[in-house]
Amino acid sequence: GIPRWDRSMMKIKLFTCFVSHSLIFQCVVVVRRMTSSSSVLSEYYAAMNAHDVDKALTFLHPKVLVTFPEEKRNWQGAAVAHEKFSGMFISMPSFIGTYDILSVDAEDANIIGNADGTSSCGLSEERITVACRFQCATSSSDSARNMTYHICGGLITQIHHL
């Protein structure tokens, strides 16, 4: 997928470049994305709480894998996410999600969200386990569960409902 770029997520390193012996100026030589996994998760929840499906999808890898303890509920892909989130916001118009981070683990990534777990994003991956609470006053629903988010390259590649 195409990564999201936002000025708040970029870091620009300036180095002094010598053009001649007497002229010195600053050159922008490196621009790289500086997105922390916790900020990706925070922004994803903000988009979900704003019921902004399109914005929420910008935080998901196109092949995002979502799993549940009941395997028949598992699904994959941003197109399916769009359908599910849109339907959820219609049936739960006052949906709000909150979370507390329980743990963060980092390792070299080798999973990008394919069902067989064989693809690679080639970057460091973080797994953030959170205690979530999802509420909707309109439908009187209130549920809590732990979840693990795999985040790689600034995108959520996997969401596991524990």
Side-chain angles (χ1 to χ4, degrees):
I2 299 171
R4 300 172 323 284
W5 288 94
D6 181 302
R7 291 183 195 275
S8 65
M9 296 181 186
M10 295 190 308
K11 180 178 181 181
I12 299 173
K13 290 187 178 181
L14 298 176
F15 292 87
T16 302
C17 300
F18 293 91
V19 175
S20 71
H21 291 19
S22 60
L23 179 63
I24 300 174
F25 67 98
Q26 298 291 310
C27 298
V28 176
V29 294
V30 177
V31 177
R32 64 185 174 110
R33 192 145 175 220
M34 297 298 291
T35 307
S36 75
S37 294
S38 59
S39 70
V40 168
L41 194 58
S42 174
E43 291 177 41
Y44 170 72
Y45 269 77
M48 293 293 284
N49 289 339
H51 300 192
D52 188 340
V53 174
D54 292 330
K55 175 107 177 172
L57 292 178
T58 67
F59 297 99
L60 300 180
H61 187 276
K63 295 181 180 180
V64 63
L65 174 65
V66 180
T67 66
F68 294 84
E70 312 82 24
E71 287 186 25
K72 66 182 183 215
R73 294 182 60 199
N74 294 358
W75 54 269
Q76 184 170 15
V80 178
H82 187 278
E83 177 185 323
K84 290 196 174 281
F85 295 166
S86 296
M88 181 179 73
F89 296 144
I90 290 169
S91 65
M92 301 176 75
S94 59
F95 169 87
I96 187 99
T98 57
Y99 68 92
D100 291 311
I101 295 177
L102 301 175
S103 68
V104 178
D105 298 308
E107 67 177 38
D108 289 337
N110 60 5
I111 300 174
I112 197 120
N114 287 339
D116 64 2
T118 59
S119 191
S120 173
C121 73
L123 301 169
S124 175
E125 174 187 70
E126 284 192 336
R127 291 183 308 267
I128 302 177
T129 300
V130 297
C132 300
R133 184 170 184 190
F134 303 110
Q135 299 173 289
C136 177
T138 309
S139 65
S140 299
S141 65
D142 187 351
S143 66
R145 74 173 351 146
N146 289 353
M147 298 173 65
T148 299
Y149 292 84
H150 292 233
I151 300 173
C152 187
L155 296 172
I156 298 169
T157 60
Q158 297 182 40
I159 303 171
H160 299 287
H161 297 75
L162 306 175

